[in-house]
Amino acid sequence: MSGKWPETRLGTELYGLNREFLELLRDGAREPFVFGLDAPVRQRLAGLSPAQLDSIARTPCLLASFSVLPPAQGARGVAEPSGPRAATMPAALADAARLFAASLLAWLWHTAHEDRLLAVLCIGPGLHHLGDLAGVPFSELQRAAVRATEHLEARFCRHPRLWPDLLRAASSGDTQLMAATRLSVVQLTLVQRVALSGTPRDTLRRPPTKH
């Protein structure tokens, strides 16, 4: 598998979502907690050039995620927010985050509705509510989008190395290193699993070694 999407509509959409999310992370570089990433990581992002940010944004899967797909939170009853509440962010950042979260949720809904397999490949099998999301009426989706920001987070934000490795590869200017690092993100997406409790989580175990 290549570390970069071919020039397709899907690749363009994923790049656009990733690039916009990176800007959100940069805008919140000085905030104490934004979308699951530590401040030093966000501050390093803030120092990257547009070309370096582009190289990260071209990772062939989403870099943003929801800890719980927002339409599921009402049915589950207890869904602790993992991201920052909009009220705790500066007004401009809160507005941008709400708009992005609503856009991402609508994109996920459309993708899950049209092609669930594609959604799983782009987002990861850990988001096991994709089937439910596809059947959500658009009116309910609009209501869910109001609080979607509270569950917005960087993908694999609890992984100890993934985001620092992306930053290091982007800063290095080494295209082969960048391609390999993008592929490591795809590999993590493919081995992502659902916790026994039913709550999505990122699995840090490596795939079994083939003999």
Side-chain angles (χ1 to χ4, degrees):
M1 176 183 286
S2 170
K4 180 180 176 180
W5 280 107
E7 295 301 324
T8 62
R9 181 181 62 83
L10 173 62
T12 300
E13 290 175 355
L14 283 173
Y15 164 78
L17 289 166
N18 285 343
R19 192 64 171 81
E20 188 173 352
F21 185 63
L22 291 175
E23 289 298 332
L24 277 181
L25 293 173
R26 282 161 51 90
D27 289 345
R30 299 296 175 183
E31 298 302 309
F33 178 82
V34 176
F35 310 126
L37 286 182
D38 292 336
V41 174
R42 289 181 275 113
Q43 289 164 12
R44 287 180 63 191
L45 270 172
L48 295 184
S49 69
Q52 291 169 333
L53 290 170
D54 285 345
S55 69
I56 296 177
R58 291 192 179 97
T59 300
C61 58
L62 284 173
L63 295 176
S65 184
F66 293 106
S67 57
V68 175
L69 282 174
Q73 65 189 28
R76 295 175 61 161
V78 286
E80 288 297 323
S82 65
R85 292 184 180 275
T88 68
M89 293 187 284
L93 179 59
D95 289 344
R98 288 191 192 97
L99 180 60
F100 176 79
S103 298
L104 178 61
L105 184 59
W107 188 88
L108 293 177
W109 177 83
H110 176 76
T111 304
H113 188 267
E114 294 294 324
D115 189 339
R116 188 182 177 193
L117 175 60
L118 175 60
V120 169
L121 290 173
C122 292
I123 305 154
L127 290 179
H128 60 303
H129 288 291
L130 279 173
D132 295 337
L133 178 63
V136 169
F138 192 72
S139 58
E140 184 177 341
L141 191 76
Q142 289 177 308
R143 289 193 294 271
V146 174
R147 297 190 61 190
T149 308
E150 297 175 15
H151 299 277
L152 181 65
E153 66 179 16
R155 295 240 358 241
F156 306 112
C157 57
R158 286 168 287 280
H159 191 284
R161 291 303 316 161
L162 187 141
W163 280 90
D165 285 350
L166 278 173
L167 289 166
R168 180 171 59 88
S171 300
S172 72
D174 185 329
T175 56
Q176 291 186 336
L177 176 61
M178 190 72 245
T181 306
R182 290 192 194 112
L183 283 178
S184 73
V185 182
V186 176
Q187 289 169 348
L188 279 176
T189 296
L190 295 176
V191 301
Q192 190 179 45
R193 293 292 181 265
V194 179
L196 293 178
S197 64
T199 302
R201 70 181 179 188
D202 299 335
T203 300
L204 304 185
R205 293 176 297 176
R206 293 183 179 180
T209 302
K210 294 183 179 180
H211 298 287

